[in-house]
């Protein structure tokens, strides 16, 4: 449901909130789609966004019930792209978007340094099923 | 579920987000408890917070599943107080809070002026059942 | 300054916040660059985002002082594109982004209907100077 | 300046954002008042809110320029209270608030355990001057 606090004085969703929704959809997908709770996976690797974009086709208003679809658009060795569609309950596409995530791991012995790594094999197998 | 973006660098929920949760719980309660979708009620009256507070007892972490309980603490002629409890899935209280809302309506013919009004009788009857 | 509440458990800025910064930079630019406070301009026309994107090159951490540069990338009849660069105090580009805004006005006599309109001439002249 | 994205469909600031402002004011006060950047201090101790509250007297609207005053309300051994006042440019108090912060430090050798500690002496001396 679109929350009061997500809408702006024009009465529609303030657009940076779509990216928050995309990330929330990704977190739910890790837990319910991949069967690996996001918070647990983050103990080992991180997924910083390196690119993201969205196209807004029709506004979303307070109180509306929306669905967010998620699909794996690309699965590379060290990064993947997730594609999103925001659908109104009437079935029309309100917005589409995508996020390219890199995969990183903490450098041993340095809490603040990270390096690019390959997607863990087990996780890759699970992600593959959503292409 | 506690979202990644709701947590701060200390790994726990950034406290202003609790008030966002309280408001979201109120919106859900209007729809599912009172049977009156919040966005529809807002066509007639508004509920600005005049006071709010929270006590934080135990931190909430990313990925945790929480429940938010809502109770009507006071029901006056022109204002009401909602009391909240945030519960972890282990049953412990993580935080408690309260919000006092006034009831206002737009002044006829002036889009920016509001005046204090009584809670509509129909709404008051429904709210009463949650005291 | 990058705020504590803008950072996530990884200690870096949660990426949806960049789009909030972009919008804040646009609001400041209306006031200080175009000499027309954004809130005043909104009395007449609105600027919904129809597309937005960002590339994240280097993370931003809590407490850092950043600059956000804004440039007009395109100026059409009924839309314009703003390009953003987020710069660290060391001078390195942390992120780039862009937002395409449409121009709309409220339909007379219907508080919820909007139509696409041309950028007001006075505003266009001012915007032109930032191409 | 009150940002577009901080306002709700009623055209006024969504109240959870006041607590975000309070925390931002605290961060600025650490840097400019106490002369100790908040992000640096956090390397040693943390300041989780254990209680917070606010009274909202007059609404704040988009585009308004506000001041936030900060004062030390109480300075205990292991906690302190900060009092806030939000002032409009016309000088009227829009809201008041307070946050009680505990002081904690990480338990040696366990990244997720924290214990209550005394306010570091150097910091206490600096804080004292704002009572």
């Amino acid at each position: 449901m679109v929350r009061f606090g997500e809408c702006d004085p024009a009465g529609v969703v303030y657009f940076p909130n779509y990216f928050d929704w995309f990330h929330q959809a990704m977190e739910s997908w890790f837990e319910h789609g991949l069967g690996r709770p996001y918070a647990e996976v983050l103990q080992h690797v991180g997924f910083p966004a390196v690119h993201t974009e969205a196209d807004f086709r029709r506004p979303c208003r307070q109180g509306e019930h929306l669905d967010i679809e998620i699909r794996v658009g690309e699965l590379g060795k060290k990064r993947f792209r997730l594609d999103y569609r925001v659908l109104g309950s009437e079935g029309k596409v309100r917005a589409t978007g995508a996020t390219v995530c890199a995969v990183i791991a903490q450098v041993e012995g340095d809490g603040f340094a990270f390096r690019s790594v390959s997607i863990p094999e087990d996780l890759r197998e699970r992600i593959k099923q959503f292409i």
Side-chain angles (χ1 to χ4, degrees), chain A:
Chain A
M1 190 171 73
V2 178
R3 303 298 183 167
F4 184 67
E6 293 174 330
C7 295
D8 60 30
V12 303
V13 173
Y14 180 55
F15 81 88
N17 288 329
Y18 285 85
F19 294 97
D20 201 22
W21 294 352
F22 292 165
H23 200 277
Q24 289 177 18
M26 181 176 85
E27 294 176 48
S28 290
W29 173 69
F30 264 79
E31 179 150 3
H32 302 294
L34 301 182
R36 300 283 307 275
Y38 189 67
E40 279 177 39
V41 175
L42 286 196
Q43 305 298 319
H44 310 288
V45 285
F47 306 101
V50 293
H51 173 81
T52 192
E53 59 180 83
D55 286 278
F56 308 103
R57 302 199 197 165
R58 295 174 184 84
C60 296
R61 291 176 195 288
Q62 186 198 348
E64 287 197 300
H65 292 268
L66 304 171
D67 274 319
I68 299 181
E69 287 179 0
I70 190 167
R71 214 178 63 86
V72 178
E74 275 180 33
L75 179 57
K77 201 171 147 47
K78 295 186 164 190
R79 56 174 59 193
F80 57 91
R81 194 186 80 230
L82 297 176
D83 295 334
Y84 301 96
R85 290 207 310 166
V86 180
L87 294 159
S89 55
E90 83 293 2
K92 283 192 183 156
V93 175
R94 305 299 181 83
T96 58
T99 301
V100 179
C101 293
V103 185
I104 60 170
Q106 224 171 319
V107 173
E108 232 16 68
D110 181 346
F112 289 101
F114 292 89
R115 62 195 168 79
S116 172
V117 298
S118 297
I119 302 169
E121 204 46 49
D122 159 67
L123 197 62
R124 166 188 297 279
E125 283 309 310
R126 291 165 186 250
I127 292 175
K128 240 185 208 167
Q129 312 190 7
F130 288 84
I131 296 182

